[in-house]
Amino acid sequence: MSTPLLAVTCGEPSGVGPELVLKLACRAQPARLLAIGNLGLLRERARALGLPVRLRESAGEAQVEPGTLDVLDIPLAAQSRPGVLDARNARHVLDMLAVAADGCLAGRFAAMVTAPVHKGVICEAGVPFTGHTEFLAERTATDQVVMMLAGAGLRVALATTHLPLREVADAITAESLTRTLRILDKDLREKFGIADPRILVAGLNPHAGEGGHMGREEIDVIIPVLDALRGEGMTLIGPLPADTLFTPHQLDGADAQLAMYHDQGLPVLKHASFGGGVNITLGLPIIRTSVDHGTALDLAGSGKADPGSLYAAVDCALDMVRARRSRK
């Protein structure tokens, strides 16, 4: 079986992404890694940080060679300085993502791993952009995707993502929750190689609604959906009170956890694994993982940025590639 080729996008050029990608070449490489970014920028950052990395321009291939990083060059519109955003380079960021996604769809890359981007500066450039997840869903013509973060033995998926809290309850419908759980179950089987995933499902309200005394979303929406999907063969536990779902007793034997909203599940995950967690987009026809942090403009160019989350994202993508290949 051939060594997988993973595309690694360098993210916002003024952030920590380029230097984190350079640091990938400084460790033993678990797969063939192709950096998608600006070759000149990477050379400049490597010199400034004293990183002993040999950069090699590539048309789309890479070799496993410690200390060497193959780069598919994507032009910048303007010179980039660490920590200084420039909206003129927004197209550069989107071009990296498009090249990686299209390469995965065409089968040239086994997976894509993304360094962090800055949503605000892309929007300032006049391009409506809410994040990697939504961009990749549109690029791959995917109707619905699910955000999941993994780390410290947890896999926390979200029923809703970046919504104001007052809008969350209305967004949790029987249809959307059913689709989310089907995507989660399917990808745990196909991309993680888990034969019968055991998924813990949080309630929306305190104490999971306490029999309707603290809200009826559990009774009216969540419980009927879980009952219907159990009838299809899914192993779903819940709805559970969110304040006890993440206790060791509940987590024992669980393969994933579904939180109803962003700040219900992710604070627990990030407390347990920040700097070593992985952001995974489920539901796509391709494999995509990312870091669990942002562009860290204040650290850009300092050499102090921790590459642990990017290392974990590469390792996770490779595990998913292997699980998918063994299934086939």
Side-chain angles (χ1 to χ4, degrees):
M1 188 176 292
S2 63
T3 304
L5 174 61
L6 309 185
V8 184
T9 60
C10 292
E12 165 55 45
S14 66
V16 295
E19 58 202 77
L20 295 181
V21 173
L22 286 166
K23 289 178 181 180
L24 284 174
C26 298
R27 72 161 187 164
Q29 296 183 16
R32 294 184 294 146
L33 303 179
L34 177 68
I36 300 180
N38 184 256
L39 183 58
L41 172 66
L42 290 169
R43 282 176 173 157
E44 178 185 301
R45 296 285 168 86
R47 283 194 301 268
L49 297 174
L51 294 173
V53 179
R54 178 190 174 207
L55 295 167
R56 185 166 55 195
E57 186 169 6
S58 169
E61 273 297 327
Q63 301 301 320
V64 177
E65 192 173 330
T68 298
L69 186 64
D70 290 291
V71 181
L72 197 163
D73 186 41
I74 304 293
L76 283 166
Q79 184 177 4
S80 178
R81 290 185 293 154
V84 182
L85 294 168
D86 191 329
R88 290 176 293 177
N89 286 323
R91 179 51 56 187
H92 163 81
V93 174
L94 298 177
D95 286 347
M96 286 189 288
L97 298 179
V99 167
D102 293 350
C104 287
L105 286 172
R108 293 191 297 273
F109 310 138
M112 63 182 288
V113 180
T114 59
V117 300
H118 194 285
K119 301 180 185 71
V121 76
I122 297 174
C123 291
E124 286 175 19
V127 181
F129 183 82
T130 53
H132 279 109
T133 303
E134 294 80 5
F135 177 91
L136 293 172
E138 182 178 354
R139 193 79 186 182
T140 60
T142 303
D143 291 335
Q144 182 173 338
V145 293
V146 174
M147 179 179 174
M148 182 173 81
L149 267 74
L154 300 171
R155 297 187 185 97
V156 180
L158 302 178
T160 62
T161 52
H162 300 114
L163 287 178
L165 192 56
R166 68 173 60 250
E167 297 178 14
V168 168
D170 288 342
I172 299 173
T173 65
E175 180 184 9
S176 69
L177 186 58
T178 297
R179 293 177 71 183
T180 294
L181 281 164
R182 282 178 175 155
I183 289 169
L184 177 57
D185 182 82
K186 179 175 183 287
D187 275 13
L188 288 171
R189 295 173 188 271
E190 296 183 358
K191 294 180 180 176
F192 288 86
I194 301 170
D196 182 17
R198 184 173 183 268
I199 301 169
L200 307 185
V201 181
L204 173 66
N205 297 295
H207 303 175
E210 204 162 289
H213 295 288
M214 292 190 182
R216 292 194 55 84
E217 286 80 8
E218 287 77 13
I219 293 172
D220 294 342
V221 178
I222 300 174
I223 291 173
V225 167
L226 299 189
D227 287 343
L229 293 177
R230 289 185 189 111
E232 296 179 8
M234 293 188 199
T235 303
L236 305 171
I237 313 301
L240 300 171
D243 61 350
T244 56
L245 184 151
F246 293 99
T247 58
H249 170 72
Q250 293 286 9
L251 293 175
D252 185 34
D255 297 299
Q257 304 78 35
L258 180 68
M260 290 295 114
Y261 56 95
H262 187 281
D263 284 9
Q264 186 185 57
L266 296 195
V268 178
L269 184 284
K270 292 193 176 186
H271 172 74
S273 67
F274 191 73
V278 182
N279 188 337
I280 305 161
T281 306
L282 304 179
L284 296 172
I286 64 176
I287 291 172
R288 179 260 173 167
T289 66
S290 186
V291 295
D292 67 351
H293 58 76
T295 53
L297 296 173
D298 57 323
L299 291 179
S302 70
K304 297 178 181 179
D306 185 350
S309 183
L310 187 60
Y311 291 172
V314 168
D315 294 341
C316 179
L318 183 57
D319 287 343
M320 293 170 71
V321 170
R322 288 170 173 162
R324 177 181 266 186
R325 286 184 173 184
S326 66
R327 182 180 174 85
K328 290 180 178 179

